[in-house]
Amino acid sequence: MTILAGEVNSEIQQQLLSRYRRVRGETEQLVDPLSAEDMQLQSMPDASPTKWHLAHTTWFFETFVLRPHFPGYRQFDPGFHQLFNSYYNSLGTPFRRPQRGMLSRPDLDTVFAYRRFVDDFIGRLLDEHLLTQELETLITLGLNHEQQHQELLLTDIKHALSINPTFPAYSDPIPEEEDTGQAEELRWLRIAGGVYGIGSEGEHFYFDNESPAHQQLLQDFSIASRLVTNGEFLEFIEDGGYRDPRLWLSDGWAHVQQNACTHPLYWQKREEGWHQFTLHGLQPVATAEPVCHINFYEADAYASWTGKRLPTEFEWEAAAFQLRRPDQLATANLLEKRALRPLAAERGQTQFLGDLWEWTSSAYLPYPGFRASSDAVGEYNGKFMCNQKVLRGGSCVTPAEHIRMSYRNFFYPHQAWQFTGIRLAGD
Amino acid sequence: MTILAGEVNSEIQQQLLSRYRRVRGETEQLVDPLSAEDMQLQSMPDASPTKWHLAHTTWFFETFVLRPHFPGYRQFDPGFHQLFNSYYNSLGTPFRRPQRGMLSRPDLDTVFAYRRFVDDFIGRLLDEHLLTQELETLITLGLNHEQQHQELLLTDIKHALSINPTFPAYSDPIPEEEDTGQAEELRWLRIAGGVYGIGSEGEHFYFDNESPAHQQLLQDFSIASRLVTNGEFLEFIEDGGYRDPRLWLSDGWAHVQQNACTHPLYWQKREEGWHQFTLHGLQPVATAEPVCHINFYEADAYASWTGKRLPTEFEWEAAAFQLRRPDQLATANLLEKRALRPLAAERGQTQFLGDLWEWTSSAYLPYPGFRASSDAVGEYNGKFMCNQKVLRGGSCVTPAEHIRMSYRNFFYPHQAWQFTGIRLAGD
Amino acid sequence: MTILAGEVNSEIQQQLLSRYRRVRGETEQLVDPLSAEDMQLQSMPDASPTKWHLAHTTWFFETFVLRPHFPGYRQFDPGFHQLFNSYYNSLGTPFRRPQRGMLSRPDLDTVFAYRRFVDDFIGRLLDEHLLTQELETLITLGLNHEQQHQELLLTDIKHALSINPTFPAYSDPIPEEEDTGQAEELRWLRIAGGVYGIGSEGEHFYFDNESPAHQQLLQDFSIASRLVTNGEFLEFIEDGGYRDPRLWLSDGWAHVQQNACTHPLYWQKREEGWHQFTLHGLQPVATAEPVCHINFYEADAYASWTGKRLPTEFEWEAAAFQLRRPDQLATANLLEKRALRPLAAERGQTQFLGDLWEWTSSAYLPYPGFRASSDAVGEYNGKFMCNQKVLRGGSCVTPAEHIRMSYRNFFYPHQAWQFTGIRLAGD
Amino acid sequence: MTILAGEVNSEIQQQLLSRYRRVRGETEQLVDPLSAEDMQLQSMPDASPTKWHLAHTTWFFETFVLRPHFPGYRQFDPGFHQLFNSYYNSLGTPFRRPQRGMLSRPDLDTVFAYRRFVDDFIGRLLDEHLLTQELETLITLGLNHEQQHQELLLTDIKHALSINPTFPAYSDPIPEEEDTGQAEELRWLRIAGGVYGIGSEGEHFYFDNESPAHQQLLQDFSIASRLVTNGEFLEFIEDGGYRDPRLWLSDGWAHVQQNACTHPLYWQKREEGWHQFTLHGLQPVATAEPVCHINFYEADAYASWTGKRLPTEFEWEAAAFQLRRPDQLATANLLEKRALRPLAAERGQTQFLGDLWEWTSSAYLPYPGFRASSDAVGEYNGKFMCNQKVLRGGSCVTPAEHIRMSYRNFFYPHQAWQFTGIRLAGD
């Protein structure tokens, strides 16, 4: 790579650098309430320690941007190449995921020094070097990757803190964000059948799994105007929903029986009523708020109980697009609002963006014509396209900048530690 | 139910009875080479003992036909209601599946007596009673159910016998069904994009999961003219296919590592070369024959290695329909041929029907508008629509009468004890 | 080996042959009520199919007697060498124990033919060949081994039949063996401390683990005059014994919690009261009969609840020897009585022999100076001397000829499928 | 409790207080090289985080000394009663052991504040209150308990750090503690048979499991003059010791196969030869040093390979007592020496104390007449007397004040993360 002095420091490079610094700073702001000990915790193989998130997102920039593209770059610590690789087998065998919580060394200070070190080089890269298209793509990918981990970092620490019988809070609740007591009435919105454009294409950023943009033939369907609430889900519980095998998929019923499930994750019944563990500690279950930390099996069983069903991801995308409003992103309950929990739907809010990731009935599969890219970054999404379900719409811990109508999130049907909820559909 | 003497004994009822007797007789013919001890074996929770298959298929007729529809019917043995229920939770808690092999009582003679008992009542039902539409539907469903179990019975006993280190044979091979030594050259068949009709509707029998018939929008694609052969798959093995994580889905790679997979199920390397356990005992791997007992992960990894992919179930159905030939069913390698193994593709045979079930890339999901029926028989298919993959086309142990272009079989991605193989597709 | 015609056919050889035929015949008599299907069952890795017992005991004579000692002997089937090896690693890798139930081939008829074949050769050996000391020792060991398996085949088939929800019986109960309603009052017998001779030596048969005979220094102790009854154990249950961690060893409490134990194996509470599965099917729990199918943890917890303890194996042997009576063996409830269940203690019966194996507090360890013999037969006992507990006294399914005061049986503390019970001791 | 001013502040109370402060200070000195992040680690259910050790030892004094014996004492934090209870079920359900590593809160500073708080009250108790016999016993028990945890915290952190692929050191090695290159020649010491006194009694401290003192009848035996070395164990490895089932106990062989064992814990073969992870990081295996982190199965298999055996705990105690030397404790390699690893035996050192805990062939069982005390402290030792093996002699991380000839340590046969080694014996 040649330094072409006359062309660098352009406005685009400065904008990218500014965005880089903002996103990286937001990550560090999110971990501010946590101690080094908190950031060491790993409560299950699916989750990672906060400290690991801080290092891995940095590793991404070092591995895919600096090492191939900054001439003469020398790694902060060569051992980190293995330690903070998540799952890129083409880069060597990653350190065993279930034992990430065992890495007391490097300590937190060293991980912050690693962030500084890489940040400085990215700064120099964007100040002094010519930004190629490839580089801009990689840095933008890195920032979107970091935003994903902002969300994961919060759901992972929530899970870790939930193990502690003293119910420690990540942060204090925002005062005056009170339980409204009543949810908006649920309405059924009709969407006409036809051929709909699905997925993303063009200049803006999107993940490879959102492409190729293509057409899907849909039949007429209806979709609920808001998410299912705690109050509605309580009726399912009280009606014996968790005990009736006819409501459940076969694998779901096996899961319920093996794990003796009787309520959503983080719920517990106390003498004074149902409570749920939140990022603000243990709180009463507010009936008007959307029911959350629901796995796919629960979402599907609830839908069966109502006589409805979950939407496909194509129906979801078509409906969300049709029903979009100009101020939707600005008013949605996303990370920036810092509610850190789903909120009751107010005056006509559809909750298509924010609040909770919405389970769809669609399996996570490649779009027609999808090909994973052949380089290491190509391991990004394609290899997970099996056994998982698509979720749509982002949650109360998703950064606003990160979410799109075409965004495809994916988890296994039994997983519930993300902020996940239910929207019903019908034929 | 009222007996209307003037209307019974019609030709339709006699035809149905004749078919009933034939299908039931075929089942018993299939178990003829097996001893009572063989028929007791259950080698894994996924499989069932032969004796259990004999009883369960009978239970189906007793439970769904005789008990509700034959006035005054009394069960052969009331305990069988629980013992031979497979998974219909709405009929009570079934006996634990993994312990079906523990039921030495009832003994085989009693199970055959049970078959006779039920067969007699079905005979009386069709001789003496008016056949309603509902009854005809249920009996036809029962016969298709029995045919499914004819296939399962053979794959289950194959698995059970494979555990025995003496490699016992189910039966002797048919002489003169020799290895042709060379497979037909693989050609790529082009199918034009467009809207294709998918699924079944109308008068003939089909399972609920094949409906509603509906339209799918497909892009142009190509599809292989035959199945992948053992010889081709050996190249994948020898090229290190089982050791390269980049070829595998993430869950597939985990499966390969946890189970130390290095070859297909039933294969073993001996001094004199690769062998595979078959229903005729241990046999050399014939390079021209289709590779079989492949799980979805292996099929997908093989496709990645070739730079191709698996077809979707919609592409498969559209292609199979487009390329059908008049004598296809008659010439296909299905159960009636008694080869009991896949055969090398001859002169232009496409192998779309018979030989091996073909993994598709499609998840097993409901067709648009699908609703499971609300009675007990409604547990039939819908509750399995999660975490499984669709396979198409039938195998060398599928009865010819049982298979259709629209037939959707489904198994978990890691399962390989059915006769499963690979057909490639491309964009 | 040379045939010395003048010396064979002696009375001793004929006596041994006669004993051989009797013991072998007793085994076959025991399996008489079972079908080939019953004899195929293996309900857990710890247990073996009846058919396997029939073959393995035969394998023992073939492997350790005929092959090394009968000139020119040719195996019945060379494959049996691996199939019916139990755990003699020095003879090659045995077939995997948990899959013994998968061996439908050889079938039962072949196994009986195998028995005939070996029996004939043993007959010829004893008729025609000179009996060396080594040979006599090996055949006697083989007969004791066969008697062990007579007991195991009954406990294994009991476990297998217990899985069947129809509670099938191995045989009908002997009429007039009724519940006496009341057990003998429990008395405490004092044994003075001192140096006691322990173990066996001399001409009669004993297992290697009973030697070397040696001395143990014991303190004064007392021992119960009979076994603990069902009625007494019910008090423990009703007093919350299974719910109080203070009564249990740490590993025992973990076992109780992991398995949700609330009663002995084979017990179940029905509307009409407690029942237990027996070799005669499901029967009411008779309060006067000894409580059986107790694991060591239960025995120890029960003893803690009473404020007493279990005896050491040395205390047991010293007490049993001190308190022996001339007619003890003849009157004891052993296999020959065919009660097949423990019986209430009558008029001064101590139950030291028969009824139930009695858990001692002793770990199964080598006696001072014990050395396992270095040949294959030497794998017999020594390698199990870890993690197991000693039981003493024989049970209602132990052949009378097989039991001795010095006999050391051994099982893991969690195991309860043998006929095991509790005798208390005190300081 | 009444304060009797005239009697307190006695020399005895001040000595006890001084000892209390010294032992508590030693614990804190041991954790000095560790960060809060290090002290959070729990690498397996058997091990605990350092921070938990710091809190639990404090909880012991609070629970058994201050709460019952300091009038008006109020807990530092009532929630700690559950959090830092190890296994005393009679005090309520302890927090789940495998999740101790999830307790980021309370943080390390709070745990140190807890220690200060309890230390202050103990100081006041001993300054201002009359010391009863019961109180002195409890405080002395608490100090011995704390010394046990000093050893455990080092073995636990060693295991935790070993997971980290960068092999972090707990501390730097002491310079000039070099590999001597050659071990003392092994000699066989004869001990005559007879009646030996075993166990502890009298005024000095000992654990309940060392009592009652009693007599054991021993036969003549010989015992090795030092521990088995790495060099000697390497011969076992190179001779195929890990591959020969005849050398292993049955459970040991199963363990070797399930875990694919080929060398001791913490060993790894590098290009430049065998290395082992130590508290000073990865180090070459020094042939003259005792082989350590050996489990019982390995110890027993090694002994079989040599044709020798392990001593019983009674033989060990008799031999160690017979062969004791005046300066033995002063010269032994115990914690105070800070070698933190076993050292090669020098000039006639027998290594009976220090270096490594020595596996005996004895099961961990109660001594004759042993009764666990009935209060909560009574859960201390008795309930573990099942399935474990006795180890004797202390190790390089045992405090000198803590060890005695009669001291009985105990672990499961498969465990190797303590500093454990092998001493041979013979008949």
Side-chain angles (χ1 to χ4, degrees), chain C residues 366-388:
Chain C
Y367 282 172
F370 174 82
R371 300 259 90 181
S373 76
S374 60
D375 54 13
V377 181
E379 288 194 50
Y380 204 76
N381 271 317
K383 72 177 176 180
F384 299 108
M385 291 178 174
C386 190
N387 299 324
Q388 307 205 41

Side-chain angles (χ1 to χ4, degrees), chain C residues 162-309:
Chain C
S162 80
I163 308 292
N164 193 317
T166 64
F167 305 119
Y170 161 79
S171 66
D172 291 332
I174 300 176
E176 273 50 76
E177 193 100 65
E178 287 174 50
D179 179 3
T180 57
Q182 197 145 4
E184 276 274 288
E185 195 184 358
L186 189 149
R187 288 167 297 116
W188 289 96
L189 313 171
R190 291 297 300 171
I191 306 289
V195 172
Y196 283 84
I198 296 295
S200 272
E201 64 189 344
E203 291 302 297
H204 70 287
F205 177 82
Y206 50 87
F207 284 111
D208 58 352
N209 64 4
E210 300 168 60
S211 75
H214 67 288
Q215 294 187 314
Q216 287 280 342
L217 182 57
L218 301 182
Q219 303 188 355
D220 293 352
F221 68 98
S222 59
I223 197 156
S225 62
R226 60 157 172 78
L227 296 168
V228 172
T229 64
N230 285 323
E232 288 161 350
F233 199 82
L234 266 166
E235 291 177 49
F236 168 77
I237 295 177
E238 286 161 7
D239 192 42
Y242 278 97
R243 296 190 305 271
D244 185 350
R246 292 170 304 177
L247 299 173
W248 295 80
L249 289 162
S250 181
D251 288 352
W253 184 241
H255 179 82
V256 162
Q257 298 210 285
Q258 277 161 28
N259 299 281
C261 303
T262 57
H263 54 72
L265 178 64
Y266 298 141
W267 283 36
Q268 58 178 262
K269 202 165 193 172
R270 314 211 123 201
E271 268 181 39
E272 64 275 29
W274 282 105
H275 281 61
Q276 58 182 332
F277 180 71
T278 75
L279 285 167
H280 311 315
L282 198 68
Q283 303 281 344
V285 167
T287 55
E289 290 181 9
V291 62
C292 78
H293 296 298
I294 289 293
N295 68 32
F296 174 78
Y297 298 129
E298 292 169 314
D300 184 82
Y302 177 81
S304 292
W305 177 74
T306 63
K308 297 290 179 177
R309 61 175 176 83

Side-chain angles (χ1 to χ4, degrees), chain C residues 250-251 297 371 383 387 412, chain D residues 250-251 297 307 383 387 412:
Chain C
S250 181
D251 288 352
Y297 298 129
R371 300 259 90 181
K383 72 177 176 180
N387 299 324
Y412 291 96
Chain D
S250 181
D251 289 352
Y297 298 128
K383 73 177 175 181
N387 299 325
Y412 290 96

Side-chain angles (χ1 to χ4, degrees), chain A residues 51-52 55-56 59 80-86 103 106 111 114:
Chain A
K51 185 171 73 178
W52 190 90
H56 166 66
W59 171 95
F80 287 12
H81 187 62
Q82 179 198 10
L83 284 186
F84 299 120
N85 177 2
S86 49
L103 300 176
V111 166
Y114 179 38

Side-chain angles (χ1 to χ4, degrees), chain D residues 233-248:
Chain D
F233 199 82
L234 266 166
E235 291 177 48
F236 168 77
I237 295 177
E238 287 162 6
D239 192 42
Y242 278 96
R243 296 190 304 271
D244 186 351
R246 292 169 304 175
L247 299 172
W248 296 79

Side-chain angles (χ1 to χ4, degrees), chain A residues 56-70 73 81 84-91 122 125 134-135 137-139 141-142 145 375-380:
Chain A
H56 166 66
T57 49
T58 306
W59 171 95
F60 190 98
F61 286 108
E62 181 176 65
T63 302
F64 295 117
V65 177
L66 295 176
R67 292 181 66 192
H69 297 292
F70 194 105
Y73 176 77
H81 187 62
F84 299 120
N85 177 2
S86 49
Y87 51 64
Y88 297 84
N89 288 303
S90 50
L91 301 174
I122 295 285
L125 185 72
E134 182 190 5
L135 211 43
T137 299
L138 283 168
I139 292 174
L141 179 61
H145 173 258
D375 55 12
V377 181
E379 288 194 48
Y380 205 75

Side-chain angles (χ1 to χ4, degrees), chain C residues 12 40 52 70 88 110 134 157 170 173 190 214-215 222 226 293 340 390 403:
Chain C
I12 283 176
Q40 187 66 38
W52 190 90
F70 194 106
Y88 297 84
T110 307
E134 182 190 5
I157 196 70
Y170 161 79
R190 291 297 300 171
H214 67 288
Q215 294 187 314
S222 59
R226 60 157 172 78
H293 296 298
L340 304 182
V390 175
I403 195 64

Side-chain angles (χ1 to χ4, degrees), chain C residues 41-102:
Chain C
L41 300 182
Q42 180 179 34
S43 53
M44 59 172 174
D46 290 339
S48 296
T50 310
K51 185 171 73 177
W52 190 90
H53 287 296
L54 290 174
H56 166 66
T57 47
T58 306
W59 171 95
F60 191 98
F61 287 106
E62 180 176 66
T63 303
F64 295 118
V65 178
L66 295 177
R67 293 181 66 192
H69 297 290
F70 194 106
Y73 176 77
R74 291 188 51 191
Q75 290 163 263
F76 178 79
D77 182 325
F80 287 12
H81 187 60
Q82 179 198 10
L83 284 185
F84 299 121
N85 177 3
S86 51
Y87 51 64
Y88 297 84
N89 288 302
S90 49
L91 301 175
T93 303
F95 181 65
R96 296 180 297 278
R97 176 168 190 158
Q99 297 191 311
R100 288 175 185 165
M102 287 301 107

